[in-house]
């Protein structure tokens, strides 16, 4: 049985939704899967008012240590590990976002866009503006949300006042040493039905 860190009572889940350990779903997030499935990886967060849906034949796969920002739309696509999808971004069917990438807020990726790992994507339509090295920083962000989710689950809402960034950085380094070699171009680490 998988154990999410936190699922807000206002989050809505429908259909075949697979949640990884320590993931979190924040206020008014919606995850729907009427046909294929949605997989949300370990320590991934789907933040306030985000919409995660499938394409007709296209599952949505969100890898481990990903952050789906507030009001983002993730629709029938693959997001590889340790990506950050910015506030209000839209990712459409059959897109693949390579590991360690950042999609800037309000960007729009049309169907079938393929983004190489370690890319910064901006614009409408989204395009790669440069290569980045944010794998570790994106994992630290995911760990912050994991800890925040665990705290929210107990009614504590101010845990970030005491966040130990050095300790989270050490944990991110350990995760990279242990797992990153297995993150090839499709190294998603999907959650299982639980």
């Amino acid at each position: 049985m998988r154990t999410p860190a936190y699922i807000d009572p206002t989050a809505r889940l429908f259909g075949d939704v697979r949640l990884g350990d320590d993931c979190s779903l924040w206020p008014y997030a919606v995850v729907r899967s009427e046909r294929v499935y949605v997989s949300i990886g370990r320590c991934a967060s789907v933040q306030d008012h985000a919409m995660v849906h499938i394409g007709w034949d296209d599952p949505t796969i969100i890898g481990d240590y990903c952050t789906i920002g507030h009001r983002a739309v993730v629709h029938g696509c693959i997001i590889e590990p340790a990506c950050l999808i910015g506030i209000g971004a839209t990712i459409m069917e059959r897109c693949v976002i390579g590991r360690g990438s950042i999609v800037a807020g309000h960007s729009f990726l049309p169907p079938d866009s393929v983004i190489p790992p370690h890319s910064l994507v901006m614009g409408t339509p989204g395009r790669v503006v440069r290569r980045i090295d944010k794998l570790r920083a994106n994992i630290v962000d995911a760990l912050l949300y994991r800890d925040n989710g665990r705290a929210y689950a107990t009614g504590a809402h101010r845990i970030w006042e005491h966040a130990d960034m050095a300790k989270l950085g050490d944990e991110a380094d350990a995760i990279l040493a242990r797992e990153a070699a297995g993150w090839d171009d499709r190294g998603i680490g999907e959650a299982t039905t639980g």
Side-chain angles (χ1 to χ4, degrees), residues 127-146:
R127 63 179 182 82
V128 176
V129 297
R130 71 175 176 267
R131 228 176 121 65
I132 57 173
D133 182 11
K134 293 293 183 181
L135 210 55
R136 183 180 189 271
N138 290 351
I139 291 171
V140 168
D141 187 70
L143 295 173
L144 275 167
Y145 266 91
R146 177 208 57 198

